Amino acid sequence: MVVSGTDTGARMRVLVYSDKADTREQVRTAIGRRPAADVPKVEFVECATAPGVLRKLESTDPAERVDVAVFDGEAAPTGGMGLCRQVKDEIYRCPPVLLLVGRRDDGWLATWSQADQVVSHPIDPVALAESLAELMRQRVAALSG
């Protein structure tokens, strides 16, 4: 369990889902090793398919626990919005999900999907890092309590 972002050994696993390798790379680059000084370092887990995401999120192995997920709403054939709604409904103690949407006008769909945070394409590295850091803080608080 991660208790403090100042612990040099602390890591949080961030799952990045997109069918596009370029999008996954943009997310990794924008987040870097640590999206904010007060959160743990990030260990990335990448998935290019919805079944891969479900396997990772359903894993009962504590070493494979996903702490936060980033879903590409524009992914195909399974979009991140529908997948977010599915995991929020089906995964017990589903980790927070940050959803990347194609347009700011897609905010209502993000609300329907039950996403915890939303960032629009093109990816703004500052907005993405800030949103992810907030979800990481919330996750640390939830796991510590």
Side-chain angles (χ1 to χ4, degrees):
M1 177 184 315
V2 176
V3 176
S4 168
T6 58
D7 177 0
T8 56
R11 295 204 180 275
M12 291 187 87
R13 291 172 56 95
V14 175
L15 183 145
V16 180
Y17 165 64
S18 179
D19 65 316
K20 298 172 190 74
D22 290 352
T23 301
R24 294 191 308 270
E25 182 180 351
Q26 287 175 13
V27 169
R28 284 193 327 272
T29 302
I31 293 168
R33 291 178 36 188
R34 179 179 286 174
D38 66 328
V39 298
K41 290 183 180 177
V42 171
E43 176 184 333
F44 290 104
V45 177
E46 293 187 36
C47 290
T49 66
V53 170
L54 295 174
R55 274 192 301 277
K56 294 291 183 186
L57 293 179
E58 291 173 341
S59 175
T60 57
D61 182 351
E64 293 187 11
R65 182 189 75 224
V66 171
D67 295 296
V68 180
V70 178
F71 289 177
D72 180 5
E74 304 300 306
T78 304
M81 289 184 218
L83 184 58
C84 181
R85 174 79 179 219
Q86 179 181 352
V87 300
K88 289 294 188 169
D89 287 345
E90 296 178 4
I91 304 290
Y92 178 66
R93 293 188 179 169
C94 182
V97 177
L98 187 155
L99 185 62
L100 303 173
V101 296
R103 305 168 307 191
R104 289 184 189 262
D105 293 343
D106 289 339
W108 71 273
L109 284 169
T111 300
W112 168 84
S113 73
Q114 302 175 27
D116 298 281
Q117 290 279 348
V118 179
V119 173
S120 61
H121 283 287
I123 294 172
D124 175 348
V126 173
L128 181 62
E130 288 175 355
S131 294
L132 182 67
E134 179 59 31
L135 292 179
M136 291 172 72
R137 288 182 199 105
Q138 291 172 12
R139 185 67 166 176
V140 167
L143 292 174
S144 297

